[in-house]
Amino acid sequence: PLFYLFDDASCGRFMARTMVLVLVMVMAAGGCAGATRENESRVEKAPVARVEEKKLSKEDRQLIETLLARLKERKDMKFVRQDVVYDAGMAAWYMKLKWQTNSDKVRSIEDFVALESTGGEHGEVKYYVEFSDGTRKPAGEVLGASVMKLRAEAADEEKAIK
């Protein structure tokens, strides 16, 4: 047999590749699960549920950009991530980068706050904000309060325009 020409490791790789190739050929030929072209039309197909993917609204995007711009200018706070302290400018830069990298997960400003206030694969690392007086608060709490303030300002501006 042909596989005697290979050592044990090569034989295993050769056999695995051959099995994959055979499987692909069988599936391409339509021989999978006894389906044929003749009885294909008789098989009832279940409707595919389509989930509307919610995208980040223009308003939330603007709020996030304003939040980042304001955080960048803050001199009275530092961000603490895994016991490393960053100034507000560096933290804002990192938040923007993290937002861009994970834009598919951010569908609302609340998602943004959750993403930016934790780290780790499952959000197990909490980030903190340290103020000039030495107090520390969870980043989610500080960012959430900042978002509420921005929304209140936007509502006041809207009322002033009307």
Side-chain angles (χ1 to χ4, degrees), residues 81-82 98 117-128:
R81 179 179 170 257
Q82 296 179 334
K98 190 174 176 184
S117 59
T118 60
E121 191 173 326
H122 304 289
E124 65 273 7
V125 180
K126 304 294 181 214
Y127 298 158
Y128 296 92

Side-chain angles (χ1 to χ4, degrees), residues 47-153:
V48 176
R50 295 185 190 237
V51 177
E52 278 296 316
E53 220 177 278
K54 184 181 174 194
K55 299 211 181 216
L56 185 63
S57 71
K58 184 179 176 184
E59 294 80 19
D60 279 358
R61 179 177 300 283
Q62 184 61 42
L63 282 172
I64 291 170
E65 289 171 358
T66 303
L67 175 66
L68 290 174
R70 288 192 183 177
L71 286 177
K72 186 177 177 180
E73 302 303 318
R74 297 286 300 258
K75 304 292 181 213
D76 64 328
M77 63 172 53
K78 297 184 187 290
F79 287 77
V80 182
R81 179 179 170 257
Q82 296 179 334
D83 293 326
V84 178
V85 179
Y86 299 93
D87 67 18
M90 179 59 86
W93 175 84
Y94 178 76
M95 285 181 194
K96 187 170 186 172
L97 179 67
K98 190 174 176 184
W99 173 34
Q100 290 170 342
T101 305
N102 296 285
S103 62
D104 59 323
K105 297 176 186 170
V106 179
R107 295 185 177 99
S108 68
I109 195 158
E110 289 76 17
D111 290 346
F112 174 80
V113 169
L115 175 74
E116 299 299 349
S117 59
T118 60
E121 191 173 326
H122 304 289
E124 65 273 7
V125 180
K126 304 294 181 214
Y127 298 158
Y128 296 92
V129 175
E130 187 175 285
F131 294 94
S132 54
D133 65 357
T135 59
R136 255 189 199 190
K137 290 187 177 181
E141 185 180 313
V142 174
L143 292 174
S146 298
V147 167
M148 287 175 55
K149 183 178 177 182
L150 285 173
R151 282 189 169 148
E153 288 175 14

Side-chain angles (χ1 to χ4, degrees), residues 3 16 27 52 69 137 156:
F3 59 86
M27 290 178 70
E52 278 296 316
K137 290 187 177 181
D156 290 343

